[in-house]
């Protein structure tokens, strides 16, 4: 934690204190020098690797070393800041711990002998990854740029898309030790002030040592930590964040990660993609309906198989029942064990494919699934119909635009299978009712998770299962209470 220790007027005291706090590492550079012909000493302090060294040499150190005797005037500090140093941003600072934090953040601190105020020079210049296509969100049609690990690059990508002076950015430092830079983004005059204040309040209440990724913030600000459903949307796509801001939502960017956060979120948002608005309304609507159908298959298909095989045989058509019975002949396990064996094997293969190097991971996922499935059928451990059910379930679970929503369905699928094994179709229905009740009560920053279903807003259903033509989507979502709800005339 920072305290109120002020700088000394003596340079050697300031250098000694700065060295005591951060000067024990080899990457900390403390450059003492004589300022031209003025006859007094100064010191530059920065961290090698976080700064632009050519900039320091050309715009800071070189002008100060060649300073003429009459150049400093009456107030040497003000004159140096205004007339000598040519860096873009220079500010004064008289707190010792604040100077330490500036150095650790990639700035350069200039200490002058005879004054208790230092100059903080913006010299950020660390290595950064180039802008590339998002990895976790495939782009079919739309911008190919994705967020990087550098906060300023990410905010610049949003500035390019939103050239509006009301685009507001509040900066915070979260993490007692990491002091991670966090940006809170919203549209002033459009976004509901209550939503902005609620987000700001939750961020300020975070008290943790380090924030290494946006997942820390996501878990610490969500409403219900016990829910399997994500209550904060995460994305690598600047166009998705820009669209959310223009709807009246709030975005959170974290330095050091390419994943941005959007609040509030609803289940309908998890089932939509930016491409839905780039394509014409008819194919976009059909694709969105296909996603909801895939969600139904991913959640219900294994449990329906278990329920029909174990309890409700009469609901299966006769010819299909004979075919299933022939396929299950010789299988020693009940349907629930059979389903669990295949589902758990599939999850292991999926996780192994993610963790292995990309070329090897794809081969493991495809070849492993084929080989294990075929071997299990030939060994009479599982039936052929079970392999088909599991394969169709796995393919359907990949249709979710958001990884977090697909993960929630994968978790709930196992609970649904257990309910089907105990009570058959009654168990499936009861478990579905429990999920519906939970989602009805769930909120994200005060917004119902099933909105615009609950509460029912039929006027907002134009962008739900179907995506109506753009000229009919004239108003922003009412669930976020935007100050300006009209999107187009």
């Amino acid at each position: 934690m920072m305290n109120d220790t002020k700088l000394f007027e003596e340079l050697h005291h300031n250098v000694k204190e700065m060295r005591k706090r951060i000067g024990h590492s080899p990457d900390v550079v403390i450059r003492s020098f004589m300022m031209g012909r003025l006859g007094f000493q100064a010191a530059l302090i920065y961290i090698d690797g976080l700064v632009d060294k050519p900039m320091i040499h050309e715009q800071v150190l070189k002008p100060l070393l060649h300073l003429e005797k009459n150049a400093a005037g009456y107030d040497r500090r003000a004159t140096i800041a205004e007339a000598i140093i040519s860096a873009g941003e220079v500010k004064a600072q008289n707190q010792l711990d604040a100077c330490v934090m500036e150095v650790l953040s990639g700035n350069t601190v200039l200490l002058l002998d005879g004054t208790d105020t230092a100059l903080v020079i913006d010299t950020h210049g660390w290595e950064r990854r180039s802008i590339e296509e998002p990895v976790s969100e495939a782009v079919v049609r739309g911008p190919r740029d994705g967020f990087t690990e550098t906060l300023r690059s990410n905010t610049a990508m949003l500035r390019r898309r939103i050239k509006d002076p009301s685009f507001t950015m509040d900066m915070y430092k979260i993490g007692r030790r990491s002091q991670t830079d966090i940006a809170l983004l919203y549209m002033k005059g459009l976004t509901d002030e209550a939503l902005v204040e609620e987000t700001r309040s939750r961020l300020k209440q975070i008290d943790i040592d380090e924030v290494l990724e946006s997942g820390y913030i996501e878990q610490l600000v969500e409403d219900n930590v016990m829910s399997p459903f994500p209550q904060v949307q995460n994305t690598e796509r600047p166009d998705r964040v820009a669209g959310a801001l223009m709807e009246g939502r709030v975005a959170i960017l974290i330095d050091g990660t390419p994943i941005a956060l959007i609040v509030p979120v609803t289940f309908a948002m998890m089932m939509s993609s930016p491409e839905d608005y780039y394509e014409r309304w008819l194919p976009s609507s059909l694709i969105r309906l296909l996603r909801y159908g895939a969600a139904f298959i991913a959640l219900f298909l294994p449990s329906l198989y278990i329920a029909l095989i174990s309890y409700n045989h009469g609901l299966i058509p006769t010819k299909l029942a004979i075919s299933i019975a022939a396929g299950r002949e010789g299988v020693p396990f009940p349907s629930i064990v059979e389903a669990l064996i295949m589902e758990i094997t599939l999850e292991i293969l999926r996780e192994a494919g993610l963790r292995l190097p990309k070329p090897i991971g794809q081969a493991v996922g495809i070849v492993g699934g084929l080989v294990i499935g075929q071997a299990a059928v030939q060994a009479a451990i599982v039936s052929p119909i079970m392999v088909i059910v599991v394969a169709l379930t796995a393919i359907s679970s990949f249709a979710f635009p958001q990884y977090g929503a697909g993960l929630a369905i994968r978790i709930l699928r196992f609970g649904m299978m257990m309910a089907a094994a105990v009570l058959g179709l009654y168990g499936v229905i009861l478990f579905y009712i429990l999920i519906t009740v939970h989602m009805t009560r769930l909120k994200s920053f005060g917004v119902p998770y099933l909105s615009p279903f609950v509460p029912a807003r039929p006027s907002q259903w134009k962008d739900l299962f179907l995506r109506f033509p753009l000229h009919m989507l004239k108003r922003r979502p009412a669930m976020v209470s935007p100050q300006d709800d009209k999107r187009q005339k």
Side-chain angles (χ1 to χ4, degrees):
M1 298 294 291
M2 294 192 347
N3 53 43
D4 296 330
T5 304
K6 293 185 177 295
L7 291 170
F8 303 96
E9 291 193 0
E10 297 81 6
L11 177 64
H12 67 279
H13 283 162
N14 291 331
V15 172
K16 180 180 177 181
E17 290 298 322
M18 294 284 286
R19 194 186 300 274
K20 184 188 300 183
R21 285 165 167 78
I22 59 172
H24 300 293
S25 300
D27 60 343
V28 178
V29 179
I30 300 179
R31 173 69 160 87
S32 299
F33 61 96
M34 190 71 69
M35 294 185 59
R37 301 179 181 178
L38 295 181
F40 63 87
Q41 289 186 321
L44 281 176
I45 304 177
Y46 60 88
I47 293 182
D48 190 12
L50 295 184
V51 298
D52 185 348
K53 293 179 72 173
M55 176 182 175
I56 294 176
H57 294 158
E58 294 297 324
Q59 300 183 17
V60 180
L61 191 56
K62 190 174 180 179
L64 293 176
L65 287 172
H66 295 84
L67 201 60
E68 295 295 333
K69 191 170 184 179
N70 59 351
Y74 179 74
D75 187 345
R76 69 179 70 159
R77 176 180 54 79
T79 304
I80 289 172
E82 296 171 6
I84 307 301
I85 297 175
S86 57
E89 182 180 347
V90 182
K91 60 184 179 181
Q93 180 59 257
N94 63 357
Q95 300 293 328
L96 182 61
D97 291 296
C99 289
V100 171
M101 189 53 59
E102 294 288 354
V103 172
L104 295 175
S105 299
N107 291 322
T108 297
V109 170
L110 174 62
L111 299 174
L112 305 172
D113 193 24
T115 176
D116 61 354
T117 303
L119 294 178
V120 178
I121 308 162
D122 183 5
T123 55
H124 292 93
W126 50 72
E127 295 292 330
R128 62 189 68 185
R129 180 170 62 91
S130 61
I131 297 174
E132 301 170 351
E133 187 172 335
V135 176
S136 62
E137 297 173 88
V139 179
V140 179
R141 176 176 179 176
R144 303 286 170 174
D145 56 339
F147 287 131
T148 68
E149 288 76 14
T150 306
L151 180 60
R152 278 291 165 256
S153 297
N154 296 339
T155 56
M157 281 187 271
L158 293 174
R159 286 284 187 189
R160 285 176 53 201
R161 288 170 167 82
I162 306 176
K163 301 178 180 67
D164 191 326
S166 64
F167 180 33
T168 307
M169 186 186 312
D170 297 340
M171 297 299 300
Y172 302 92
K173 285 187 180 294
I174 299 180
R176 291 192 300 267
R177 296 186 182 276
S178 66
Q179 291 290 307
T180 306
D181 290 318
I182 309 288
L184 176 66
L185 312 177
Y186 60 95
M187 301 296 295
K188 194 170 186 178
L190 189 157
T191 308
D192 182 25
E193 286 294 335
L195 174 60
V196 176
E197 285 301 321
E198 177 64 22
T199 310
R200 189 179 288 137
S201 172
R202 295 193 190 190
L203 289 176
K204 289 180 178 179
Q205 289 175 10
I206 296 175
D207 186 12
I208 191 173
D209 269 358
E210 76 286 338
V211 176
L212 304 180
E213 211 275 333
S214 59
Y216 284 69
I217 302 297
E218 180 178 354
Q219 296 173 67
L220 292 170
V221 301
E222 64 183 357
D223 293 63
N224 187 345
V225 297
M226 302 304 294
S227 174
F229 294 98
Q231 297 136 62
V232 178
Q233 188 175 34
N234 56 75
T235 180
E236 281 188 78
R237 299 184 58 169
D239 57 334
R240 187 190 288 272
V241 174
L245 291 172
M246 298 306 292
E247 285 183 346
R249 304 182 194 274
V250 174
I252 303 171
L253 299 183
I254 297 91
D255 190 31
T257 175
I259 306 297
L261 305 178
I262 300 171
V263 295
V265 66
T266 62
F267 185 73
M269 283 179 63
M270 293 293 181
M271 300 300 292
S272 65
S273 172
E275 281 90 348
D276 293 351
Y277 304 94
Y278 303 154
E279 293 284 356
R280 298 177 63 250
W281 76 275
L282 188 57
S284 296
S285 299
L286 293 176
I287 291 172
R288 189 176 289 184
L289 286 173
L290 191 64
R291 290 195 200 111
Y292 280 98
F296 179 87
I297 292 172
L299 180 61
F300 286 101
L301 187 58
S303 57
L304 288 176
Y305 171 82
I306 294 169
L308 293 175
I309 293 297
S310 302
Y311 291 94
N312 308 96
H313 315 91
L315 295 177
I316 307 176
T318 304
K319 291 185 179 181
L320 180 59
I322 294 172
S323 176
I324 293 174
R328 284 185 52 79
E329 186 178 0
V331 175
F333 304 114
S335 57
I336 179 61
V337 176
E338 180 187 15
L340 286 175
I341 289 174
M342 291 304 297
E343 287 289 348
I344 292 173
T345 302
L346 178 69
E347 294 298 329
I348 292 173
L349 283 171
R350 188 185 334 224
E351 188 66 18
L354 286 174
R355 304 305 168 194
L356 286 171
K358 195 170 183 180
I360 303 175
Q362 293 176 349
V364 168
I366 297 171
V367 177
L370 291 173
V371 171
I372 292 176
Q374 183 65 25
V377 171
Q378 290 182 351
I381 296 175
V382 299
S383 61
I385 187 68
M386 186 71 247
V387 176
I388 296 173
V389 167
V390 170
L392 186 56
T393 302
I395 294 171
S396 299
S397 66
F398 291 134
F400 290 90
Q402 288 285 295
Y403 177 76
L407 194 60
I409 296 298
R410 284 161 58 187
I411 294 170
L412 293 171
R413 181 166 66 235
F414 285 95
M416 188 76 77
M417 289 163 56
M418 293 298 180
V422 175
L423 296 173
L425 283 179
Y426 291 108
V428 173
I429 295 170
L430 287 174
F431 198 81
Y432 171 68
I433 292 173
L434 289 176
I435 294 174
T436 305
V437 170
H438 170 71
M439 294 180 72
T440 303
R441 299 179 60 186
L442 188 62
K443 291 187 177 181
S444 172
F445 285 73
V447 174
Y449 200 67
L450 287 182
S451 184
F453 283 120
V454 180
R457 293 189 177 97
S459 62
Q460 299 287 313
W461 293 356
K462 298 177 183 178
D463 191 16
L464 194 56
F465 294 116
L466 302 177
R467 201 274 287 170
F468 279 37
L470 284 178
H471 69 270
M472 299 181 67
L473 305 178
K474 296 186 177 182
R475 297 192 177 275
R476 294 183 173 86
M479 67 189 79
V480 294
S481 305
Q483 298 183 52
D484 179 12
D485 68 336
K486 187 173 289 188
R487 183 180 300 186
Q488 59 176 308
K489 296 182 180 179

